[in-house]
Amino acid sequence: MEIVWLLFAFVGGLSMKQLGLPPLIGFLGAGFLLNYFGYESSENLQSLADLGITLMLFTIGLKLNIRDLLKPEVWITSAQHLLIWVLMVTGIMFGIGYLGLSYLADMSLQQAALLAFALSFSSTVCVVKILEESGEMKTRHGKIAIGVLVMQDIFAVLFLVFAAGKTPTLWAFALFALWFLRPIFYRLINSAGHGELLPLTGFLFALGGYHLFDLVGVKGDLGALIMGMLIAPHVKASELSKSLLSFKDLFLVGFFLSIGLIALPDMEMVMVALLLCVLVPLKFLLFFTTFVQFKLRARTAYLSGLVLSNFSEFGLIVAALAVSSGWFSPQWLVIIALSVSFSFIFTSLRYKSAHSQYLKLKSLLRQYESNVRLKEDIYQQPEGASVLLIGMGRVGRGAFSALSPSLGDELCGVDADPQRVRKLQDEGLKVIVGDGEDADMWENVDTTDVRLILLALPSIDDTAHITQQLRVAEYQGKIAAIARYDDEVEKLMSTGTDYVFNMFTEAGAGLAEESLRMLSGEGEYEVAKPLS
């Protein structure tokens, strides 16, 4: 049966990719098709789904900074959004019940409040997948969205404790000792090296954190997240996250399939689920207004609110608890599963063109923006630079090292990750914080003297977006970018990039050129040192 799951998932994912849509939409559709043909979920599939979520939360923790969660624009907005949403949606659902619509008729105030609470959370799986695919996990709006998701996970734990009557044991206090065990964790990671032991170490920490927290009566998923946060300061945290990426993505396919296999809906259930999805734009509006209230820029509020505008798989947990307690009929589990799936599709489709949407709505949205700027939202100027290098990852850092001797202070690096920027600045490099896809940044940063902008980013879509933003901002200089495949080169050239370096071709040519120089005895050579 497992090969049938893989076949349906592959065909569904590939079909959506050919249409330019996220593959996760195809995985969801594959689950419903399998259900239609009579297949049922199994313990193996559910185990894969649970493992995918555990690994995802662990890798989120690897990229989190606890200080980001303590910012008012994260924790206060999360709590305020939850409270206002539950009050508003409870009133709406209770009111609709009086209209006599199926499944909503005669709904009590308590049932309406529980349904509103179930729909208040945003999907960690959906949001992280979208942000990862667009390369925006470490951008300002990406960090805001992830911070909100973490706060929602904390609210979820509190709900399960009180609603399910699952009280943590006294041994839960011993979990604070994990903070003091970090040196041992770091030593284990160092000993694992860079090969197959590294992802195995990641599995050990993720699953170990899950079962340790579950053992003392705390939500296991929270344990995986916190274990990742404890390891996040380690120098190999990013490498560990990348080593788990393929495993996580593969196991999450099981999660999307399992949603469709919950039950086969009838047309009435589909209509109720679609009716619930009408609330998704309301969720966006509430997020946007709450974010701008806390002085976030309109663009950050718009993108963060848009990617968070969906329903969460946690709604299924609430529904299952409500059904087992007799508060809801079993059909509600199917209805909420459908609404979660439909909301995934809505978010995936809308966010695909989020940056171009903002450009069209910018003048309207900025009317709600505060005149006061948070420290993180003040643009830095590349003073004295004639060349900007966007993206200071491994490729960008290598390009910076090669260009720096010739350009000196005329070269300036730009990266969206403040932690990476601080580290590079401590090493004496001229680097500033900036999100290249931020249209507002290019309007506020002076590029009059910039003759060349190099785009050293892993995502071709991100590179294409930045090129478009630069042309819209009437940048007059040259733009160069990197790509790995010929079709990517063609795509970037069609967006207005002046020159595209094929990484594989150029690397081979560079190696041949340097080899010939060595044979001719020109120059001095030393063993290359790895970039930190």
Side-chain angles (χ1 to χ4, degrees), residues 170-309:
L170 291 176
W171 286 103
F173 291 102
L175 295 174
F176 289 104
L178 291 173
W179 175 268
F180 302 100
L181 295 178
R182 289 185 305 158
I184 299 176
F185 299 158
Y186 292 174
R187 188 174 301 175
L188 288 174
I189 295 173
N190 289 331
S191 301
H194 305 280
E196 63 274 12
L197 267 179
L198 188 61
L200 184 60
T201 305
F203 272 84
L204 176 65
F205 281 118
L207 295 177
Y210 180 97
H211 289 292
L212 184 61
F213 274 61
D214 187 63
L215 189 64
V216 296
V218 181
K219 194 167 182 278
D221 290 338
L222 185 65
L225 178 71
I226 290 179
M227 190 63 75
M229 293 172 66
L230 290 174
I231 299 172
H234 193 278
V235 68
K236 290 175 66 175
S238 177
E239 182 183 353
L240 179 60
S241 176
K242 291 177 181 177
S243 71
L244 295 171
L245 184 62
S246 297
F247 294 103
K248 179 198 67 178
D249 288 344
L250 179 61
F251 294 147
L252 281 177
V253 173
F255 167 78
F256 292 113
L257 288 176
S258 66
I259 289 182
L261 287 168
I262 288 177
L264 193 62
D266 55 32
M267 185 54 65
E268 206 168 7
M269 294 180 185
V270 173
M271 296 305 295
V272 175
L274 289 173
L275 179 62
L276 293 179
C277 286
V278 175
L279 297 171
V280 171
L282 176 63
K283 176 173 277 196
F284 163 75
L285 289 174
L286 187 53
F287 267 124
F288 178 80
T289 54
T290 305
F291 285 143
V292 294
Q293 177 187 350
F294 280 84
K295 301 180 177 60
L296 288 177
R297 289 192 298 111
R299 178 182 180 273
T300 304
Y302 181 81
L303 295 178
S304 300
L306 192 61
V307 78
L308 288 167
S309 297

Side-chain angles (χ1 to χ4, degrees), residues 389-400:
L389 203 163
I390 312 297
M392 291 298 293
R394 291 192 175 186
V395 175
R397 175 69 188 275
F400 194 98

Side-chain angles (χ1 to χ4, degrees), residues 422-439:
R422 283 194 295 269
K423 182 179 178 182
L424 295 174
Q425 288 175 343
D426 291 341
E427 296 176 14
L429 277 62
K430 185 178 180 180
V431 186
I432 62 175
V433 178
D435 180 4
E437 290 192 87
D438 185 349

Side-chain angles (χ1 to χ4, degrees), residues 318-334:
V318 175
L321 179 62
V323 169
S324 63
S325 302
W327 301 333
F328 279 138
S329 63
Q331 288 84 352
W332 271 106
L333 192 61
V334 182

Side-chain angles (χ1 to χ4, degrees), residues 10 40 61 74 113 119 124 145 192 202 250 259 267 298 331 364 377 485:
F10 175 77
E40 297 180 354
V74 174
L119 299 177
T124 301
L250 179 61
I259 289 182
M267 185 54 65
Q331 288 84 352
L364 172 64
D377 294 330
Y485 308 106

